[in-house]
Amino acid sequence: MQHMWLSLLSGLCLHLVFLCSAEEGLEFPNFDGKDRVMDINERNYKKALKRYDLLCLFYHEPLPANKGLQKRFQMTELVLELTAQVLENKDIGFGMVDSQKDVKVARKLGLEEVGSLYVFKDDRVIEFDGELSADTLVEFLLDVLEDPVEMINNAMEVRFSIKLIYFKAFQEASERFQPYIKFFATFDKSVAKHLSLKMNEVNFYEPFMEEPAIVPGRPLSEIDIVEYVTQHRRATLRKLRAENIFETWEDDMDGIHIVAFAEEEDPDGYEFLEILKDVARDNTNNPELSIVWIDPDDFPLLTTYWEKTFKLDLFRPQIGVVNVTDADSVWLDMSNDEDLPTAEELEDWIEDVLSGRVNTEDDDESADEPENPDSYITEDSDEIHDLDEGDNDDNYN
Amino acid sequence: MQHMWLSLLSGLCLHLVFLCSAEEGLEFPNFDGKDRVMDINERNYKKALKRYDLLCLFYHEPLPANKGLQKRFQMTELVLELTAQVLENKDIGFGMVDSQKDVKVARKLGLEEVGSLYVFKDDRVIEFDGELSADTLVEFLLDVLEDPVEMINNAMEVRFSIKLIYFKAFQEASERFQPYIKFFATFDKSVAKHLSLKMNEVNFYEPFMEEPAIVPGRPLSEIDIVEYVTQHRRATLRKLRAENIFETWEDDMDGIHIVAFAEEEDPDGYEFLEILKDVARDNTNNPELSIVWIDPDDFPLLTTYWEKTFKLDLFRPQIGVVNVTDADSVWLDMSNDEDLPTAEELEDWIEDVLSGRVNTEDDDESADEPENPDSYITEDSDEIHDLDEGDNDDNYN
């Protein structure tokens, strides 16, 4: 049975091989059927930890009795097998830890969440909380293989020895956040000047901000840096990415997310994103505000699901509030406007969201709010169902 | 048999469902097992063409006798089935045309290349020559569904009737290139002024160029525009994209590609890309030059394959010449430099490539060239094998 499953995996990365047989240089990998993922147990886990630069362990429930779940389980194994094959020359070990049979090993290794993937690098454990596809996992592991601090410019050798002690705190802090938060360093005066970076100073760039914040305190210890980054890592505007999609979604604000859809490659989407950035810059010090920006181009398989769930046309930019427990949502009505909202209009709307004036629970009570009942699309209203269908017909021809 | 294959497909998009069961809003699709892809034949092809906004036909060889190829074939079907499911509410038909059984239908529809996927929209046929994964195909079809000309700003209604006749030529030209080349129009004076666009003028923006070229002639006919775009569509710097990866790779320059690897999100990669753009801008009028830029982040499953085939470290930016018939290659040695090459140095190297002084056939004769034997890495040299391994050890820890 195992082998049949293995050969199937080739389909995970099936491409138009017929067309390019005459040309070389673009060979998408097909799984070769060789077992590379270990069954981890008490006898072999220590050896595995020592042997590889990285050890990547999938912590799973025992093989389920249900056939559908069994297949899903085997496909997980195959995603790991293909990843292992693609990264074969990189000194990464792959293994499975059974939450029932290997309960002792799991406790010793600190594995907690069943269904999670843990990466061991040196004495650190990094949890992978992204889309479990071979693409995303390969990219993630290649990022983890790199040094956690990247040097800007190579003039470092000259001065490296002088800065070693101070630099160590920075480097050790960086290891806590790899690969999710990038750490850069420079030992080059001109680079530092260009970045307005003072000696021994750590600047923190929040995504989409033009000006960095200066991490307070000097000299900075590892703990200072770790605490600052932990406290500030949830950005005012954060992009949804495959590599940590579930982590981001779980990090909601009191059960809701403010979600903005904008295609960066589309003129309207690009403009809307610029407005979002302005809003984020104006509100960077508001810890209550974090907007999740989704570029639909990054998640083609989710696009129609989102359109259906949220009753939206994703050919246009959108912004709304989503309740993460039931996916109930409310969206800013931008359909009748010729222009996108200004940053000020968007800030007014966001203020309404944060104050609770706009929320996902008022759908049925919208008649009770005399102020401006038509200005928000609520997903449960029949009126909107009809509108949606009309819109679709116009757009999709 | 069919059903087992169908249920397997769920693995094509397997995700950490265990983790996010408490939260809603991120449901990656699992194939539901329902057949949506039609078997196209002489009796039903006309009806299918009429019935849908888009008809998407896979033109294939008869089911092979070889079991491995059979599985691959079935996986293609399943990619189409998942795509059909995800796009279910979009009025797109999906079908298979057998190159042996349905030879007459294929001739009538103008299907030529076995293994290709053809999309019928109105009276046009668009060939898909990209990565045959559900992700890429869904995104491609969503692009094809859109209008081929996108309006910038919505003040168009006012003046639309006046410009209709002239605009028609532009719109019809746009249909020939959808979705590969984007067409935009505006009827808004301020937008036009901002773009320095004169009335009834068509500007052509080559990728990565700051200034557009003005398509010559006025009034422009559909044919004028089509001819100009056809002649200029191969950009001086073009990005490799999943949606037309094979088309780009097949469009080589006398059997070679100049290939540049640069990660846009990496500081070194970003800087190198800026240099490449400078070079492209300086040489935009040289029809001999077209550099294929590959961002390794876009193709995680190919990264290690490329590293192995070209003997490269893709954690760093690279540029080289690849012979597409045998994937033989020669790369500019940037490993000993602290800084990336300047635009001028890169142009000198490109000149050497275009003149044939640097080429993939000289590997064994490098000793005969006394000028500067060490300045290029050639893939067959043992010396480089050792260098590569050394590099890897340093980088991957």
Side-chain angles (χ1 to χ4, degrees):
Chain A
M1 188 68 187
Q2 178 77 346
H3 275 289
M4 208 180 58
W5 285 98
L6 297 183
S7 50
L8 289 182
L9 188 65
S10 59
L12 276 173
C13 46
L14 176 131
H15 301 90
L16 290 173
V17 272
F18 316 103
L19 289 182
C20 64
S21 49
E23 309 233 318
E24 293 283 329
L26 283 188
E27 261 178 52
F28 283 88
N30 285 317
F31 183 54
D32 60 11
K34 199 168 142 191
D35 269 339
R36 290 177 183 84
V37 178
M38 294 170 282
D39 184 6
I40 292 291
N41 52 45
E42 271 204 278
R43 288 186 310 283
N44 65 7
Y45 83 96
K46 276 189 189 161
K47 206 173 146 193
L49 275 175
K50 264 188 208 157
R51 185 168 156 198
Y52 301 98
D53 286 347
L54 295 189
L55 182 64
C56 180
L57 297 182
F58 184 61
Y59 185 45
H60 63 88
E61 289 192 23
L63 189 69
N66 174 305
K67 281 212 168 175
L69 290 178
Q70 266 181 28
K71 282 174 188 166
R72 179 165 290 183
F73 179 84
Q74 285 167 310
M75 291 310 288
T76 314
E77 268 188 301
L78 295 179
V79 167
L80 293 176
E81 288 287 1
L82 181 64
T83 304
Q85 174 188 326
V86 166
L87 298 175
E88 192 163 33
N89 64 347
K90 297 285 187 193
D91 204 29
I92 307 179
F94 291 83
M96 312 277 284
V97 180
D98 188 311
S99 66
Q100 194 172 299
K101 275 194 295 180
D102 308 315
V103 63
K104 278 190 193 165
V105 177
R107 203 177 308 131
K108 280 179 190 159
L109 290 170
L111 312 186
E112 286 177 356
E113 195 155 20
V114 175
S116 256
L117 206 137
Y118 295 89
V119 182
F120 292 80
K121 180 181 181 178
D122 306 326
D123 49 355
R124 288 180 287 141
V125 190
I126 301 165
E127 190 177 343
F128 173 75
D129 206 0
E131 181 187 343
L132 194 52
S133 69
D135 273 65
T136 308
L137 189 54
V138 166
E139 199 182 340
F140 178 86
L141 292 171
L142 287 174
D143 281 348
V144 174
L145 275 173
E146 288 190 75
D147 276 339
V149 178
E150 178 157 355
M151 289 297 153
I152 301 182
N153 195 302
N154 288 342
M156 61 167 279
E157 287 81 4
V158 194
R159 312 228 221 143
F160 192 81
S161 50
I162 312 169
K163 299 282 168 291
L164 204 60
I165 296 164
Y166 177 76
F167 185 67
K168 212 162 176 274
F170 185 69
Q171 194 155 35
E172 283 178 356
S174 75
E175 292 174 355
R176 307 274 198 108
F177 300 102
Q178 192 192 19
Y180 298 114
I181 294 179
K182 309 261 178 232
F183 280 68
F184 299 100
T186 187
F187 290 85
D188 184 277
K189 257 191 185 168
S190 60
V191 171
K193 201 179 161 195
H194 186 74
L195 293 168
S196 312
L197 189 63
K198 293 199 191 80
M199 183 76 83
N200 288 350
E201 194 175 85
V202 176
N203 285 2
F204 182 78
Y205 285 81
E206 199 188 307
F208 312 112
M209 297 299 139
E210 271 156 2
E211 294 300 318
I214 296 168
V215 179
R218 231 191 293 178
L220 286 163
S221 68
E222 179 190 345
I223 293 173
D224 293 334
I225 302 173
V226 169
E227 278 184 355
Y228 186 90
V229 174
T230 305
Q231 207 185 324
H232 292 82
R233 70 182 298 184
R234 182 200 283 155
T236 311
L237 179 62
R238 38 182 178 162
K239 189 178 185 187
L240 194 70
R241 294 175 188 274
E243 73 202 44
N244 61 347
I245 183 168
F246 297 112
E247 191 190 36
T248 304
W249 201 252
E250 280 164 30
D251 181 32
D252 53 60
M253 319 280 288
D254 291 328
I256 63 147
H257 276 303
I258 296 179
V259 175
F261 287 99
E263 268 181 68
E264 200 170 7
E265 290 209 351
D266 172 89
D268 267 356
Y270 182 85
E271 199 188 325
F272 190 59
L273 184 61
E274 289 301 307
I275 297 167
L276 284 174
K277 288 180 194 169
D278 282 346
V279 170
R281 282 170 200 145
D282 284 352
N283 294 278
T284 181
N285 293 321
N286 181 352
E288 304 285 303
L289 180 63
S290 181
I291 301 168
V292 178
W293 163 39
I294 302 179
D295 188 330
D297 278 350
D298 292 341
F299 303 99
L301 294 183
L302 287 175
T303 305
T304 52
Y305 159 78
W306 280 322
E307 286 189 328
K308 215 166 138 187
T309 306
F310 301 140
K311 301 208 167 40
L312 287 177
D313 170 11
L314 290 186
F315 284 142
R316 294 176 50 85
Q318 303 283 358
I319 189 164
V321 190
V322 176
N323 182 324
V324 295
T325 40
D326 56 8
D328 197 7
S329 64
V330 134
W331 300 87
L332 179 62
D333 183 5
M334 305 194 281
S335 59
N336 296 323
D337 295 325
E338 298 216 335
D339 297 312
L340 293 165
T342 62
E344 290 71 37
E345 286 163 354
L346 213 53
E347 283 182 54
D348 288 345
W349 178 82
I350 287 169
E351 211 170 278
D352 286 349
V353 172
L354 296 181
S355 71
R357 269 195 299 280
V358 171
N359 66 69
T360 59
E361 306 309 313
D362 281 351
D363 304 32
D364 306 321
E365 302 158 50
S366 56
D368 301 337
E369 279 186 6
E371 321 156 23
N372 194 356
D374 289 330
S375 68
Y376 306 116
I377 298 187
T378 59
E379 69 164 29
D380 290 339
S381 119
D382 285 337
E383 199 182 300
I384 302 311
H385 278 249
D386 297 337
L387 267 179
D388 265 353
E389 281 159 27
D391 272 3
N392 287 350
D393 286 340
D394 289 338
N395 283 328
Y396 300 162
N397 271 302
Chain B
M1 189 66 185
Q2 177 78 345
H3 274 289
M4 207 181 58
W5 284 98
L6 296 183
S7 51
L8 288 182
L9 188 65
S10 59
L12 276 172
C13 44
L14 176 132
H15 302 90
L16 290 173
V17 273
F18 318 102
L19 289 182
C20 63
S21 49
E23 309 232 320
E24 293 283 327
L26 282 189
E27 263 177 51
F28 283 88
N30 285 317
F31 184 55
D32 60 11
K34 198 169 142 190
D35 269 338
R36 290 176 183 84
V37 177
M38 295 170 281
D39 184 5
I40 293 290
N41 53 45
E42 271 202 278
R43 287 185 311 284
N44 65 7
Y45 83 96
K46 278 189 189 161
K47 205 174 145 193
L49 275 175
K50 266 188 205 155
R51 185 168 156 197
Y52 300 99
D53 286 346
L54 294 189
L55 182 64
C56 181
L57 298 182
F58 184 60
Y59 186 45
H60 63 88
E61 288 193 25
L63 189 69
N66 173 305
K67 281 214 167 173
L69 290 177
Q70 265 181 28
K71 282 173 187 165
R72 179 166 289 184
F73 179 84
Q74 286 166 309
M75 292 309 288
T76 314
E77 268 188 300
L78 295 179
V79 167
L80 293 177
E81 287 288 2
L82 182 63
T83 304
Q85 175 189 325
V86 167
L87 297 175
E88 192 162 35
N89 65 346
K90 296 286 187 193
D91 203 29
I92 308 180
F94 290 83
M96 311 278 283
V97 180
D98 188 309
S99 67
Q100 194 172 299
K101 275 195 293 179
D102 308 314
V103 62
K104 277 189 195 167
V105 177
R107 204 177 307 131
K108 280 178 191 160
L109 291 170
L111 312 185
E112 287 178 354
E113 197 155 19
V114 174
S116 256
L117 206 138
Y118 294 89
V119 182
F120 292 80
K121 181 181 181 178
D122 307 326
D123 49 356
R124 288 179 288 141
V125 190
I126 301 164
E127 190 177 343
F128 173 75
D129 206 0
E131 182 187 341
L132 195 53
S133 69
D135 273 67
T136 307
L137 188 54
V138 166
E139 199 182 341
F140 178 85
L141 291 172
L142 288 174
D143 281 348
V144 174
L145 275 173
E146 288 191 75
D147 277 338
V149 179
E150 178 157 355
M151 289 298 153
I152 301 181
N153 193 300
N154 288 342
M156 60 166 281
E157 287 82 5
V158 195
R159 311 229 222 143
F160 193 80
S161 50
I162 314 169
K163 299 282 168 293
L164 204 60
I165 297 167
Y166 176 75
F167 184 67
K168 213 163 175 270
F170 184 70
Q171 194 155 34
E172 283 178 356
S174 75
E175 292 174 355
R176 307 275 198 105
F177 300 103
Q178 192 191 18
Y180 297 113
I181 293 180
K182 308 263 179 231
F183 279 68
F184 300 100
T186 187
F187 290 85
D188 184 277
K189 257 191 185 168
S190 61
V191 171
K193 201 178 160 195
H194 186 75
L195 294 168
S196 314
L197 188 63
K198 292 201 190 79
M199 182 76 84
N200 287 350
E201 194 175 84
V202 176
N203 285 1
F204 182 78
Y205 285 82
E206 200 188 305
F208 313 112
M209 296 300 139
E210 271 155 3
E211 295 299 318
I214 297 168
V215 178
R218 230 191 294 178
L220 285 164
S221 68
E222 180 191 344
I223 291 172
D224 291 336
I225 302 172
V226 169
E227 277 184 356
Y228 186 90
V229 174
T230 305
Q231 206 185 324
H232 293 82
R233 71 182 297 184
R234 184 199 281 156
T236 312
L237 179 61
R238 37 182 179 163
K239 189 177 185 188
L240 195 69
R241 294 175 189 274
E243 72 203 44
N244 61 347
I245 183 169
F246 296 112
E247 191 190 35
T248 304
W249 201 251
E250 281 166 28
D251 181 32
D252 53 60
M253 318 280 289
D254 291 328
I256 63 148
H257 276 304
I258 296 180
V259 175
F261 287 100
E263 268 181 68
E264 199 171 7
E265 290 209 352
D266 172 90
D268 266 356
Y270 182 85
E271 199 188 326
F272 190 59
L273 185 60
E274 290 301 309
I275 298 167
L276 284 175
K277 288 179 194 170
D278 282 346
V279 170
R281 282 170 200 145
D282 285 351
N283 294 277
T284 180
N285 294 319
N286 182 353
E288 304 285 304
L289 180 63
S290 180
I291 302 169
V292 177
W293 164 39
I294 302 179
D295 188 329
D297 278 350
D298 293 340
F299 303 99
L301 295 183
L302 287 175
T303 304
T304 52
Y305 159 78
W306 280 321
E307 286 189 329
K308 216 167 139 187
T309 306
F310 302 140
K311 302 209 166 41
L312 287 177
D313 170 12
L314 289 186
F315 284 141
R316 294 176 49 86
Q318 302 283 358
I319 189 164
V321 190
V322 176
N323 182 324
V324 295
T325 41
D326 57 7
D328 197 6
S329 64
V330 134
W331 300 87
L332 179 62
D333 184 5
M334 308 193 281
S335 60
N336 295 322
D337 296 325
E338 299 217 333
D339 298 311
L340 294 165
T342 62
E344 290 71 38
E345 286 163 354
L346 213 51
E347 284 182 54
D348 289 346
W349 178 83
I350 286 170
E351 210 170 279
D352 286 349
V353 172
L354 296 182
S355 71
R357 269 194 299 279
V358 171
N359 65 70
T360 59
E361 306 308 313
D362 281 353
D363 303 33
D364 305 323
E365 303 158 51
S366 57
D368 302 337
E369 278 185 6
E371 320 157 23
N372 194 356
D374 289 331
S375 67
Y376 306 118
I377 297 187
T378 59
E379 68 165 30
D380 290 339
S381 119
D382 284 337
E383 197 182 300
I384 303 310
H385 278 249
D386 296 339
L387 265 179
D388 266 351
E389 280 158 28
D391 272 3
N392 287 349
D393 286 341
D394 288 337
N395 283 326
Y396 301 163
N397 271 305

